[in-house]
PDB file of all heavy atoms in Angstrom:
ATOM      1  N   ALA A 530       0.839 -28.349  31.585  1.00 94.00           N
ATOM      2  CA  ALA A 530       1.517 -29.474  30.943  1.00 94.00           C
ATOM      3  C   ALA A 530       2.980 -29.201  30.791  1.00 94.00           C
ATOM      4  O   ALA A 530       3.455 -28.029  31.001  1.00 94.00           O
ATOM      5  CB  ALA A 530       0.847 -29.743  29.565  1.00 94.00           C
ATOM      6  N   ALA A 531       3.769 -30.213  30.461  1.00 95.00           N
ATOM      7  CA  ALA A 531       5.143 -30.098  30.129  1.00 95.00           C
ATOM      8  C   ALA A 531       5.213 -29.949  28.603  1.00 95.00           C
ATOM      9  O   ALA A 531       4.477 -30.647  27.863  1.00 95.00           O
ATOM     10  CB  ALA A 531       5.963 -31.254  30.614  1.00 95.00           C
ATOM     11  N   PHE A 532       6.093 -29.158  28.080  1.00 96.00           N
ATOM     12  CA  PHE A 532       6.227 -28.850  26.609  1.00 96.00           C
ATOM     13  C   PHE A 532       7.638 -29.151  26.117  1.00 96.00           C
ATOM     14  O   PHE A 532       8.630 -28.931  26.848  1.00 96.00           O
ATOM     15  CB  PHE A 532       5.859 -27.437  26.315  1.00 96.00           C
ATOM     16  CG  PHE A 532       4.409 -27.135  26.553  1.00 96.00           C
ATOM     17  CD1 PHE A 532       3.934 -26.761  27.842  1.00 96.00           C
ATOM     18  CD2 PHE A 532       3.506 -26.994  25.501  1.00 96.00           C
ATOM     19  CE1 PHE A 532       2.629 -26.457  28.091  1.00 96.00           C
ATOM     20  CE2 PHE A 532       2.156 -26.750  25.782  1.00 96.00           C
ATOM     21  CZ  PHE A 532       1.728 -26.467  27.037  1.00 96.00           C
ATOM     22  N   VAL A 533       7.752 -29.639  24.900  1.00 95.00           N
ATOM     23  CA  VAL A 533       8.927 -29.590  24.148  1.00 95.00           C
ATOM     24  C   VAL A 533       8.571 -28.877  22.860  1.00 95.00           C
ATOM     25  O   VAL A 533       7.716 -29.193  22.145  1.00 95.00           O
ATOM     26  CB  VAL A 533       9.456 -30.993  23.826  1.00 95.00           C
ATOM     27  CG1 VAL A 533      10.747 -30.978  22.992  1.00 95.00           C
ATOM     28  CG2 VAL A 533       9.713 -31.818  25.099  1.00 95.00           C
ATOM     29  N   VAL A 534       9.379 -27.830  22.504  1.00 95.00           N
ATOM     30  CA  VAL A 534       9.023 -26.983  21.416  1.00 95.00           C
ATOM     31  C   VAL A 534      10.241 -26.896  20.437  1.00 95.00           C
ATOM     32  O   VAL A 534      11.374 -26.977  20.881  1.00 95.00           O
ATOM     33  CB  VAL A 534       8.577 -25.531  21.823  1.00 95.00           C
ATOM     34  CG1 VAL A 534       7.384 -25.543  22.783  1.00 95.00           C
ATOM     35  CG2 VAL A 534       9.784 -24.818  22.499  1.00 95.00           C
ATOM     36  N   GLN A 535       9.867 -26.608  19.147  1.00 95.00           N
ATOM     37  CA  GLN A 535      10.881 -26.396  18.202  1.00 95.00           C
ATOM     38  C   GLN A 535      10.567 -25.087  17.449  1.00 95.00           C
ATOM     39  O   GLN A 535       9.461 -24.912  16.920  1.00 95.00           O
ATOM     40  CB  GLN A 535      10.964 -27.572  17.159  1.00 95.00           C
ATOM     41  CG  GLN A 535      11.983 -27.317  16.047  1.00 95.00           C
ATOM     42  CD  GLN A 535      11.996 -28.447  15.080  1.00 95.00           C
ATOM     43  OE1 GLN A 535      10.906 -28.983  14.745  1.00 95.00           O
ATOM     44  NE2 GLN A 535      13.102 -28.738  14.375  1.00 95.00           N
ATOM     45  N   LEU A 536      11.538 -24.173  17.452  1.00 95.00           N
ATOM     46  CA  LEU A 536      11.296 -22.866  16.791  1.00 95.00           C
ATOM     47  C   LEU A 536      11.622 -23.051  15.324  1.00 95.00           C
ATOM     48  O   LEU A 536      12.707 -23.307  14.872  1.00 95.00           O
ATOM     49  CB  LEU A 536      12.167 -21.761  17.401  1.00 95.00           C
ATOM     50  CG  LEU A 536      12.076 -20.454  16.776  1.00 95.00           C
ATOM     51  CD1 LEU A 536      10.626 -19.919  17.016  1.00 95.00           C
ATOM     52  CD2 LEU A 536      13.097 -19.474  17.436  1.00 95.00           C
ATOM     53  N   ILE A 537      10.580 -22.922  14.450  1.00 95.00           N
ATOM     54  CA  ILE A 537      10.767 -23.035  12.984  1.00 95.00           C
ATOM     55  C   ILE A 537      11.387 -21.766  12.412  1.00 95.00           C
ATOM     56  O   ILE A 537      12.349 -21.795  11.718  1.00 95.00           O
ATOM     57  CB  ILE A 537       9.352 -23.380  12.344  1.00 95.00           C
ATOM     58  CG1 ILE A 537       8.766 -24.586  12.919  1.00 95.00           C
ATOM     59  CG2 ILE A 537       9.591 -23.528  10.814  1.00 95.00           C
ATOM     60  CD1 ILE A 537       9.650 -25.839  12.921  1.00 95.00           C
ATOM     61  N   SER A 538      10.757 -20.665  12.766  1.00 94.00           N
ATOM     62  CA  SER A 538      11.229 -19.380  12.351  1.00 94.00           C
ATOM     63  C   SER A 538      10.771 -18.306  13.250  1.00 94.00           C
ATOM     64  O   SER A 538       9.885 -18.416  13.991  1.00 94.00           O
ATOM     65  CB  SER A 538      10.743 -19.039  10.829  1.00 94.00           C
ATOM     66  OG  SER A 538       9.293 -18.967  10.886  1.00 94.00           O
ATOM     67  N   LYS A 539      11.475 -17.179  13.215  1.00 92.00           N
ATOM     68  CA  LYS A 539      11.244 -16.051  14.117  1.00 92.00           C
ATOM     69  C   LYS A 539      11.376 -14.792  13.350  1.00 92.00           C
ATOM     70  O   LYS A 539      12.440 -14.568  12.692  1.00 92.00           O
ATOM     71  CB  LYS A 539      12.122 -16.122  15.417  1.00 92.00           C
ATOM     72  CG  LYS A 539      11.819 -14.983  16.384  1.00 92.00           C
ATOM     73  CD  LYS A 539      12.486 -15.302  17.742  1.00 92.00           C
ATOM     74  CE  LYS A 539      14.051 -15.445  17.590  1.00 92.00           C
ATOM     75  NZ  LYS A 539      14.636 -15.522  18.928  1.00 92.00           N
ATOM     76  N   MET A 540      10.438 -13.869  13.456  1.00 93.00           N
ATOM     77  CA  MET A 540      10.516 -12.571  12.878  1.00 93.00           C
ATOM     78  C   MET A 540      10.589 -11.471  13.933  1.00 93.00           C
ATOM     79  O   MET A 540       9.621 -11.136  14.532  1.00 93.00           O
ATOM     80  CB  MET A 540       9.268 -12.302  11.937  1.00 93.00           C
ATOM     81  CG  MET A 540       9.245 -10.978  11.254  1.00 93.00           C
ATOM     82  SD  MET A 540      10.556 -10.790   9.942  1.00 93.00           S
ATOM     83  CE  MET A 540       9.870 -11.861   8.682  1.00 93.00           C
ATOM     84  N   ASP A 541      11.862 -11.027  14.136  1.00 90.00           N
ATOM     85  CA  ASP A 541      12.032 -10.003  15.170  1.00 90.00           C
ATOM     86  C   ASP A 541      11.638  -8.657  14.600  1.00 90.00           C
ATOM     87  O   ASP A 541      11.845  -8.400  13.426  1.00 90.00           O
ATOM     88  CB  ASP A 541      13.502  -9.940  15.584  1.00 90.00           C
ATOM     89  CG  ASP A 541      13.877 -11.132  16.398  1.00 90.00           C
ATOM     90  OD1 ASP A 541      13.018 -11.634  17.183  1.00 90.00           O
ATOM     91  OD2 ASP A 541      15.038 -11.589  16.338  1.00 90.00           O
ATOM     92  N   ALA A 542      10.959  -7.849  15.388  1.00 91.00           N
ATOM     93  CA  ALA A 542      10.508  -6.534  14.996  1.00 91.00           C
ATOM     94  C   ALA A 542      11.720  -5.648  14.617  1.00 91.00           C
ATOM     95  O   ALA A 542      12.773  -5.717  15.324  1.00 91.00           O
ATOM     96  CB  ALA A 542       9.662  -5.842  16.040  1.00 91.00           C
TER      97      ALA A 542
END
Side-chain angles (χ1 to χ4, degrees):
F532 293 80
V533 178
V534 302
Q535 180 184 29
L536 182 63
I537 306 302
S538 63
K539 181 167 59 175
M540 178 67 71
D541 288 326

